[in-house]
């Protein structure tokens, strides 16, 4: 089967790598892809928001399946557009209505409330309700959790530590700091606990559980400094034991799938449950309608069964939890970022020849492009280095070693990914 994978980051490089190992794969196309995915398939260098061009390509190349990496095309209704034009096409990724789980935090909170799914207490507010929002935030106490309703590229959540900051942030957001995305706000109770991420592939009825992961968002070691898109991840998560995962299935995954069905929302694709464990119980922080980056890198290198087969099973309503095979090894992913990130940073830095890798070592490309045959940096996150080891420490050591061998001016990475779990 010919497959079109949408996206251009480390997540897509890892998905492309995993798909390329499937005996079921014919040709792989990546739209737009990056120089890493170019070695695994054919990159299509066109803007992804051109839905008609995607549809034309599907005809031209005899594509049987589309897998969408990022959230934006899903929220834009790409899958609805393709489903109308190509009735037999296998689509891995929800339509616009399912993508609302991620594209509107207010929608997601209402959904959880309606279906009894554990999450922080909240209220939502519109642009004329700054005073009400501030007084509700006060009633919850500090720190205050203030979230822009819409997609804000991971920057739409502020955890305010003081009353002044709470007030300033609420006003700034409602006055349009994130444009349309912050015309409405969700203000919620602060939950104190440890976060982890759970991933399923579902057709709306059946689902399979993929390996869980934990990501590290702060730029600085010891989880300090500003938030980034993600600085690394590990899988498995030692505290996600059978007892906790049973609660996750019973209280969160299965009620979510039942809720989607009750609400008449078709869903075929990945669901990423951003969870927090509070005194032994899981709560939902957020839903994402796709896999995470840099979690996917750790998840894919641990997944032993065939991802393309799972995606086909999803399309054919034959998802079988028993078919998922996961390595007992530990995965660690470390992101190498441009100096200055997540603030301003320079692009176009020359990347020296990459080191040779062993089978259990991977260098996934995130913000890398090719200029006159030379690899150069083109994003904040440049590489995701992912390694498998017998235990977490071994995986981390190996990833650190590989990260040291990659050279570009201004390179920065955290050496303490997974530090809190040892
Ligand atoms: N209710 C909450 N209590 C404590 N921390 C929270 C809460 N909601 C969000 N956070 C923190 O903020 C981060 C970002 O929030 P999230 O809802 O995942 O938004 P996004 O990923 O879209 O930026 C979370 O990973 C978590 O660390
Ligand atoms: Mg999040």
């Amino acid at each position: 089967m010919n497959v079109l994978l949408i996206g251009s980051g480390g997540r897509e490089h890892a998905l492309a790598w995993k798909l390329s190992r499937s005996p079921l794969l014919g040709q792989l196309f990546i739209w737009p892809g990056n120089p890493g995915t170019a070695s695994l398939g054919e990159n299509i260098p066109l803007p992804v928001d051109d839905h008609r061009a995607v549809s034309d390509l599907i005809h031209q190349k005899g594509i049987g399946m589309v897998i969408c990496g990022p959230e934006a095309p899903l929220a834009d209704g790409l899958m609805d557009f393709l489903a109308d034009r190509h009735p037999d096409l296998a689509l891995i990724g929800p339509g616009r209505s399912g993508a609302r789980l991620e594209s509107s935090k207010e929608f997601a909170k209402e959904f959880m409330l309606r279906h009894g799914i554990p999450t922080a207490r909240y209220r939502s507010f519109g642009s004329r309700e700054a005073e009400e929002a501030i007084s509700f935030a006060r009633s919850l106490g500090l720190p205050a959790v203030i979230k822009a309703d819409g997609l804000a590229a991971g920057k739409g959540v502020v955890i305010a530590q003081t009353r002044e900051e709470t007030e300033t942030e609420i006003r700034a957001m409602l006055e349009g700091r994130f444009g349309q995305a912050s015309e409405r706000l969700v203000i919620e109770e602060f939950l104190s606990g440890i976060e982890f991420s759970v991933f399923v592939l579902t057709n709306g009825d059946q689902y399979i559980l993929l390996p869980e992961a934990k990501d590290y968002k702060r730029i600085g070691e010891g989880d300090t400094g500003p938030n980034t898109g993600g600085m690394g991840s590990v899988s498995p998560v030692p505290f996600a034991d059978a007892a906790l995962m049973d609660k996750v299935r019973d209280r969160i995954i299965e009620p979510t799938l039942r809720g989607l069905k009750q609400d008449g929302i078709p869903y075929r694709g990945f669901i990423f449950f951003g969870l927090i464990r509070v005194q032994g119980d899981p709560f939902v922080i957020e839903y994402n309608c796709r896999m995470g980056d840099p979690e996917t890198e750790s998840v894919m290198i641990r997944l032993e069964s065939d991802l393309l087969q799972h995606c086909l099973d999803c399309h054919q309503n034959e998802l079988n939890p028993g078919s998922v095979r996961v390595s007992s090894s530990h995965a660690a992913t470390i992101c190498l970022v441009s100096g200055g990130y997540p603030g301003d940073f320079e692009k176009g830095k020359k990347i020296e020849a990459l080191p040779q890798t062993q089978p259990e070592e991977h260098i996934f490309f995130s913000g890398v492009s090719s200029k006159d045959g030379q690899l150069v940096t083109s994003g904040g996150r440049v590489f995701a280095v992912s390694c498998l080891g017998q235990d977490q420490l071994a995986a981390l050591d190996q990833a650190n070693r590989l990260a040291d061998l990659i050279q570009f001016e201004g390179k920065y990475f955290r050496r303490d990914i997974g530090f809190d779990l040892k």
Side-chain angles (χ1 to χ4, degrees):
M1 166 172 273
N2 293 349
V3 176
L4 173 63
L5 172 64
I6 293 175
S8 65
R11 167 181 50 208
E12 286 76 25
H13 191 178
L15 289 171
W17 168 77
K18 185 64 186 161
L19 290 168
S20 72
R21 297 166 65 88
S22 171
L24 303 171
L25 183 70
Q27 283 176 283
L28 177 63
F29 300 92
I30 311 95
W31 185 313
N34 67 35
T37 64
S39 64
L40 299 165
E42 185 184 332
N43 286 348
I44 310 292
L46 288 171
V48 179
D49 49 11
D50 191 346
H51 294 185
R52 208 167 290 274
V54 179
S55 174
D56 291 346
L57 185 87
I58 288 164
H59 274 307
Q60 284 160 22
K61 304 286 188 183
I63 286 164
M65 178 184 290
V66 176
I67 303 175
C68 187
E71 64 278 13
L74 299 171
D76 276 354
L78 173 63
M79 296 317 217
D80 309 277
F81 182 90
L82 295 179
D84 278 351
R85 278 162 184 76
H86 309 272
D88 297 328
L89 186 64
L91 293 170
I92 302 298
R96 190 188 270 124
S97 62
R100 292 254 281 158
L101 281 184
E102 173 166 3
S103 66
S104 168
K105 293 205 187 279
E106 181 178 25
F107 173 84
K109 295 296 279 193
E110 284 170 354
F111 175 90
M112 287 186 266
L113 191 67
R114 188 158 64 242
H115 298 292
I117 297 163
T119 189
R121 250 176 352 117
Y122 82 103
R123 271 183 61 192
S124 42
F125 300 91
S127 51
R128 293 175 180 185
E129 297 173 305
E131 301 314 318
E132 291 89 332
I134 290 164
S135 83
F136 180 68
R138 282 213 177 122
S139 75
L140 293 178
L142 291 170
V145 181
I146 308 163
K147 301 187 171 185
D149 173 53
L151 294 177
K155 297 191 169 74
V157 173
V158 172
I159 313 285
Q161 302 294 340
T162 64
R163 286 175 65 138
E164 294 69 40
E165 192 188 354
T166 304
E167 203 175 316
T168 318
E169 290 295 336
I170 288 175
R171 289 194 202 284
M173 282 210 207
L174 286 179
E175 281 160 19
R177 174 187 299 159
F178 299 110
Q180 257 194 339
S182 67
E183 271 173 12
R184 295 192 63 77
L185 293 185
V186 167
I187 305 225
E188 62 184 51
E189 171 192 15
F190 180 83
L191 298 177
S192 200
I194 186 159
E195 290 178 67
F196 63 113
S197 305
V198 167
F199 309 93
V200 303
L201 176 63
T202 182
N203 60 3
D205 265 314
Q206 309 157 314
Y207 70 95
I208 58 170
L209 193 63
L210 299 171
E212 78 287 352
K214 178 162 177 49
D215 79 328
Y216 292 80
K217 281 263 185 300
R218 303 295 196 88
I219 187 74
E221 293 188 355
D223 271 341
T224 53
N227 267 334
T228 68
M231 294 297 291
S233 67
V234 295
S235 176
V237 178
F239 65 82
D241 55 15
L244 183 61
M245 290 307 290
D246 281 344
K247 291 180 187 173
V248 170
R249 284 171 199 273
D250 293 347
R251 299 179 191 178
I252 294 172
I253 298 175
E254 290 172 11
T256 297
L257 300 185
R258 282 198 298 271
L260 286 167
K261 236 177 142 171
Q262 273 173 29
D263 293 351
I265 300 172
Y267 201 107
R268 214 176 276 274
F270 297 101
I271 305 181
F272 165 154
F273 298 85
L275 305 178
I276 187 166
R277 185 192 63 170
V278 182
Q279 290 169 352
D281 289 326
F283 289 75
V284 178
I285 291 276
E286 67 162 347
Y287 291 114
N288 293 137
C289 60
R290 36 82 195 174
M291 292 294 288
D293 194 351
E295 293 93 337
T296 303
E297 291 87 327
S298 288
V299 169
M300 287 302 139
I301 68 172
R302 281 191 72 218
L303 184 66
E304 285 177 342
S305 44
D306 184 339
L307 177 65
L308 183 49
Q309 179 73 62
H310 293 318
C311 291
L312 272 174
D313 292 347
C314 181
H315 176 63
Q316 294 164 346
N317 298 327
E318 284 170 4
L319 279 172
N320 169 12
S323 67
V324 180
R325 278 178 295 108
V326 175
S327 163
S328 58
S329 296
H330 288 242
T333 295
I334 297 179
C335 296
L336 277 56
V337 307
S338 298
Y341 175 79
D344 294 338
F345 57 85
E346 288 176 20
K347 298 180 185 176
K349 301 291 182 198
K350 183 174 164 212
I351 296 162
E352 304 296 332
L354 293 176
Q356 292 292 318
T357 51
Q358 301 297 315
E360 69 283 5
E361 301 174 337
H362 303 268
I363 302 174
F364 294 122
F365 291 25
S366 302
V368 178
S369 55
S370 177
K371 208 172 138 193
D372 309 325
Q374 165 71 51
L375 292 182
V376 296
T377 66
S378 62
R381 292 189 293 172
V382 180
F383 291 104
V385 167
S386 301
C387 293
L388 268 185
Q390 274 195 326
D391 53 33
Q392 193 179 289
L393 207 56
L396 282 170
D397 274 352
Q398 208 168 342
N400 269 300
R401 218 170 319 131
L402 197 53
D404 275 324
L405 294 174
I406 297 174
Q407 299 297 346
F408 58 89
E409 191 190 312
K411 174 186 78 174
Y412 168 77
F413 63 96
R414 279 178 61 170
R415 289 183 185 277
D416 68 336
I417 299 304
F419 71 101
D420 52 338
L421 299 174
K422 274 178 222 137

